[in-house]
Amino acid sequence: MGKGIWILAEPRDKALPRVVFEMLGEARRLAAPGGEEVTAVLLGHSLEPLVAELEKYGTDRVFLYDHADLAEYNLQVYSKILADLIVKDPPRVMLLPANAHGRELAPSVAIKVKSGMASDCIRFSHEGAFHGIRPAYAGKVLVTLEYTGDGPSIATVRPNQLAMGELREGHKATIVKMEFEKPQGLRAKLLEVKKPEQGATMEVTEATIVVSGGRGLGAKENFSLCESLASVLGAAVGASRMAVDAGWREHKYQVGQTGKVVTPNIYIACGISGAIQHQVGMNQSKCIVAINKDPEANIFKLADYGIVGDIFTILPLLTQECRTMLGSEVLA
Ligand code: FAD
C-alpha cells in the first residue's frame, strides 16, 4: 500500500482550474489522519508561476514536468508519465479532475498500474476501507465504491462539489524538477489546436454558474440573451438537447443524459421544460433558477427560484439588474 495523496494539476490557458484547488482541499483532508504528504503532479509548459499557487493551498511536494513538448495534452504521453511515477513511488490515493482529460487519463493510468478506479466522485470516506462516493441513476442514489487490492486508489473528482483548500500563506513545498523526454512511436500527433468560437465559450462542466437555453429561445441568434447574462455573471452557456438538435449551440454545450453533467453553484434554465433527460445533467446544481412562461413546466418542480414569464422580457431585465448590482465585479 502506497503513502500520500496525489492530485493532477494540469493548467488550462496558463492557469490552474478551480477543481485543482478543490482536489487539494480534499487531499489535505484525506492526508490529515495519517500525517501523509500531499503531492501535486504539475504538467505543461511555463509552469513556474503556478507552483506558488499550489504551495499556497497546502501542497507539500510538486513533481514539476515543465517542457515545451508537454504544452498540449497527449493521452499517451501524460498517462505514461503518471504511470511511471506511480510505479516508482506509489501514493495511497491519486485524484484527477472529472473533465475531458481526467476522464480519459484516469482509466488509462489505472490499467497501467493495475489499480482500481472510481469515476465522477463527489466525496470520499474511510470507513474500514477507502471509498469513493458518486451519484448514479440521475443523481437519485449515491453509490459507494470500495477499492480492493494494494494499488493506489485512483479517482476522478467532479468539479464544484468539494470545498476548496484553505489558504496557507507561507506554506512551502518541495519542488522536484522532473526530466522529460518525448517518447518515440506516439500513436497520436497534434496537428492543430482550434480555439472555440467567440462568445461565452467557457466549458460548462467547470463553470460555477451556468446559464442554459432551450427551445423557448426560438432561434439561434436569441442565444445572445443567455450569452449577455452569462458574460455579466462570468458564467458558461449551456443548452438543452432541443437547442442543440436545432443547430443553435454546439453539442459540447449540451447538458443532460446525452450531453454533459454539470454541478455549478447556480444553474439558470431559460426556456427549458425540464425533461428527465435534461434534469440528469443539472439536478446536482446547488441552486437552480428557472425562467419559463408555463407555470406547469417540470423545471419548476426542481427549481429553488422560479420566474414565470417570457424570457424575452425577463432575461434583458435580469441582465441589466445584475450588471447594475455587480458593476465590473464578476460573480463566478
Ligand atoms: P421543450 O421541451 O420544447 O421546452 C421548451 C420550454 O420553453 C417549454 O417549457 C416552454 O414553456 C418554454 N418556453 C417557450 N417559449 C418561452 C418563452 N418565450 N419564455 C419562457 N419560456 C418559454 N434533452 C436534454 O436537454 N439533454 C440531453 O442530454 C437529452 N438526452 C436525451 C436522450 C434521449 C435518449 C432522449 C429520448 C431524449 C433526450 N433529451 C435530452 C431530450 C428531452 O427529452 C427533451 O426533449 C428536451 O430536453 C427538451 O428541450 P427543451 O426543454 O429545450 O424544449
Side-chain angles (χ1 to χ4, degrees):
M1 174 76 74
K3 217 168 163 39
I5 317 294
W6 290 14
I7 64 135
L8 173 67
E10 189 204 356
R12 285 283 163 85
D13 294 329
K14 303 198 181 306
L16 290 169
R18 181 187 162 95
V19 64
V20 167
F21 302 103
E22 293 168 354
M23 290 192 299
L24 273 179
E26 187 65 9
R28 281 253 63 100
R29 194 182 70 78
L30 295 173
E36 289 171 282
E37 219 176 30
V38 170
T39 299
V41 185
L42 182 56
L43 291 171
H45 187 42
S46 303
L47 300 172
E48 290 292 344
L50 304 180
V51 171
E53 293 288 300
L54 293 170
E55 288 183 308
K56 259 198 290 186
Y57 283 88
T59 309
D60 300 312
R61 179 173 59 166
V62 179
F63 285 129
L64 179 64
Y65 285 90
D66 194 339
H67 197 283
D69 284 337
L70 291 170
E72 298 295 342
Y73 168 82
N74 178 302
L75 170 65
Q76 220 183 327
V77 175
Y78 276 40
S79 68
K80 182 171 178 348
I81 288 177
L82 293 179
D84 288 352
L85 255 184
I86 289 175
V87 167
K88 262 193 229 145
D89 175 15
R92 184 168 64 83
V93 176
M94 164 117 214
L95 306 178
L96 300 92
N99 56 19
H101 293 177
R103 285 197 168 114
E104 185 180 57
L105 262 176
S108 168
V109 173
I111 199 111
K112 284 188 170 72
V113 302
K114 299 189 174 53
S115 66
M117 192 225 129
S119 58
D120 258 343
C121 293
I122 58 166
R123 316 202 273 276
F124 298 92
S125 83
H126 272 125
E127 277 171 33
F130 183 64
H131 297 119
I133 297 163
R134 57 159 299 173
Y137 297 111
K140 289 195 171 58
V141 294
L142 287 178
V143 176
T144 301
L145 299 155
E146 181 168 327
Y147 290 91
T148 55
D150 288 335
S153 305
I154 297 179
T156 58
V157 174
R158 266 195 201 178
N160 300 322
Q161 292 292 312
L162 299 165
M164 293 231 329
E166 278 170 31
L167 261 179
R168 297 172 175 225
E169 291 293 354
H171 183 85
K172 286 287 163 210
T174 308
I175 315 298
V176 188
K177 290 193 174 169
M178 307 298 289
E179 295 295 320
F180 169 74
E181 216 171 289
K182 198 173 173 181
Q184 298 296 307
L186 290 179
R187 290 190 295 273
K189 187 170 151 198
L190 182 80
L191 297 179
E192 187 190 0
V193 178
K194 272 195 164 177
K195 292 283 173 201
E197 74 216 17
Q198 286 301 302
T201 55
M202 199 187 291
E203 163 65 41
V204 281
T205 54
E206 282 169 20
T208 51
I209 305 177
V210 176
V211 180
S212 276
R215 185 160 30 198
L217 282 168
K220 182 174 181 161
E221 54 275 19
N222 295 336
F223 252 92
S224 61
L225 291 172
C226 292
E227 286 169 6
S228 299
L229 178 60
S231 80
V232 172
L233 298 176
V237 177
S240 73
R241 175 159 161 184
M242 281 302 150
V244 171
D245 285 353
W248 302 343
R249 201 90 190 136
E250 284 178 65
H251 179 261
K252 65 180 173 184
Y253 300 113
Q254 182 179 316
V255 173
Q257 186 182 321
T258 41
K260 304 255 174 84
V261 174
V262 300
T263 50
N265 293 336
I266 306 175
Y267 186 86
I268 307 176
C270 311
I272 293 178
S273 60
I276 184 69
Q277 295 89 351
H278 186 77
Q279 291 186 23
V280 172
M282 44 66 80
N283 62 7
Q284 300 292 314
S285 307
K286 293 202 180 79
C287 174
I288 297 171
V289 180
I291 310 169
N292 198 303
K293 67 179 182 186
D294 174 8
E296 303 297 325
N298 263 335
I299 194 80
F300 287 127
K301 296 188 184 130
L302 204 67
D304 299 284
Y305 297 94
I307 303 172
V308 178
D310 188 335
I311 37 179
F312 296 100
T313 312
I314 308 286
L315 273 175
L317 286 174
L318 192 58
T319 305
Q320 186 50 49
E321 200 56 31
C322 291
R323 191 176 287 126
T324 309
M325 282 172 70
L326 294 168
S328 57
E329 234 178 277
V330 165
L331 265 190

